[in-house]
Amino acid sequence: KWKGILFYRFLAATMDDDPSVSNVAKLFLCGPLLSKQPTLFFHNFVDALFVLNGCTAHPMFTSRNNRNSSMFQADGLSFSIDDCKTREGIYSLLLDHMSPEEKIGITARLSKEVLSAATELTGDLALAARSSGTREAKNGAFAVLSDCFQILTSTKMFIGRSANSTDDSDLTSGGTSVSMSQNSTVPHLVSAKGKLLSKISRKQLVEAVIPILCTLKVTLENNRSPLLKNLMQYMLCI
């Protein structure tokens, strides 16, 4: 029931100007629905990046079977949200309900499915990185790349690198609740898990993300793309 357009329409509703509409949408998505499908936000995050920008460059539009592709078009999946602040609010909502492990997975997916695709010779994302292609396709793909960098540089994506007091609760979210709050071993376990996740995150950045960024940097520099500023900001965060 949550395939196709419905989930993304609800996401858009969470940022509705009418508080009664946005509150109901948030309550439903982040309440009973998420409790029944804990990985719903993780599995649909990258897809949402493309859908909310009205960009059809993602394989969800082209690589699935014809039946699903037809269904997406018939349901009007190509709707988009022009206001970048509204999209940012939606991304923030999704990230607020993800575990550190899922955020590491999101970084990997964004690098592979968005940034790496921009280094290819063909495709809307590659055209956007080279400031060419049709204006409509370019603008949607350009916004996807811009939003991708905005997400990656968000403090909500930092694993084990923030001094925010909520980090400890984030690190333990999604796990089995144990009544050991008074046990002195709990802080040590939380700290150990945080350090481990931080090492995993950094290893992924070094081995998988940075090589993609270096390749993309050359492409953006050669084409004098305004996205070069976004890329450099992300590299500074790393």
Side-chain angles (χ1 to χ4, degrees), residues 67-189:
R67 175 179 174 276
N68 281 339
S69 297
S70 299
M71 178 187 68
F72 291 152
Q73 295 303 323
D75 285 347
L77 190 62
S78 59
F79 87 97
S80 61
I81 297 177
D82 295 331
D83 183 28
C84 61
K85 291 296 181 182
T86 301
R87 298 195 306 271
E88 183 179 345
I90 294 175
Y91 304 143
S92 180
L93 175 69
L94 295 174
L95 291 173
D96 281 339
H97 292 83
M98 287 189 197
S99 66
E101 294 89 340
E102 288 177 323
K103 292 177 183 179
I104 292 174
I106 289 298
T107 299
R109 289 191 61 195
L110 288 175
S111 300
K112 179 180 179 181
E113 299 177 35
V114 180
L115 301 184
S116 181
T119 65
E120 302 293 335
L121 297 178
T122 59
D124 286 351
L125 293 173
L127 292 174
R130 291 167 173 78
S131 299
S132 57
T134 63
R135 185 171 184 80
E136 181 180 354
K138 173 191 166 184
N139 287 345
F142 186 94
V144 166
L145 288 169
S146 179
D147 283 7
C148 179
F149 283 120
Q150 180 268 318
I151 292 166
L152 291 171
T153 55
S154 170
T155 55
K156 294 180 183 294
M157 291 292 286
F158 293 172
I159 307 298
R161 289 180 286 163
S162 172
N164 193 302
S165 60
T166 60
D167 281 357
D168 286 350
S169 60
D170 289 341
L171 291 171
T172 55
S173 64
T176 306
S177 60
V178 229
S179 55
M180 297 175 59
S181 57
Q182 303 301 321
N183 194 318
S184 61
T185 62
V186 174
H188 295 293
L189 292 175

Side-chain angles (χ1 to χ4, degrees), residues 58-66 69:
H58 193 262
M60 69 177 290
F61 290 95
T62 57
S63 295
R64 294 185 180 181
N65 58 57
N66 292 332
S69 297

Side-chain angles (χ1 to χ4, degrees), residues 149 213 216-217 227-235:
F149 283 120
L213 291 177
L216 182 57
K217 180 175 178 289
L227 288 169
L228 180 61
K229 178 181 178 181
N230 304 66
L231 182 145
M232 296 306 296
Q233 288 177 338
Y234 179 42
M235 296 190 79

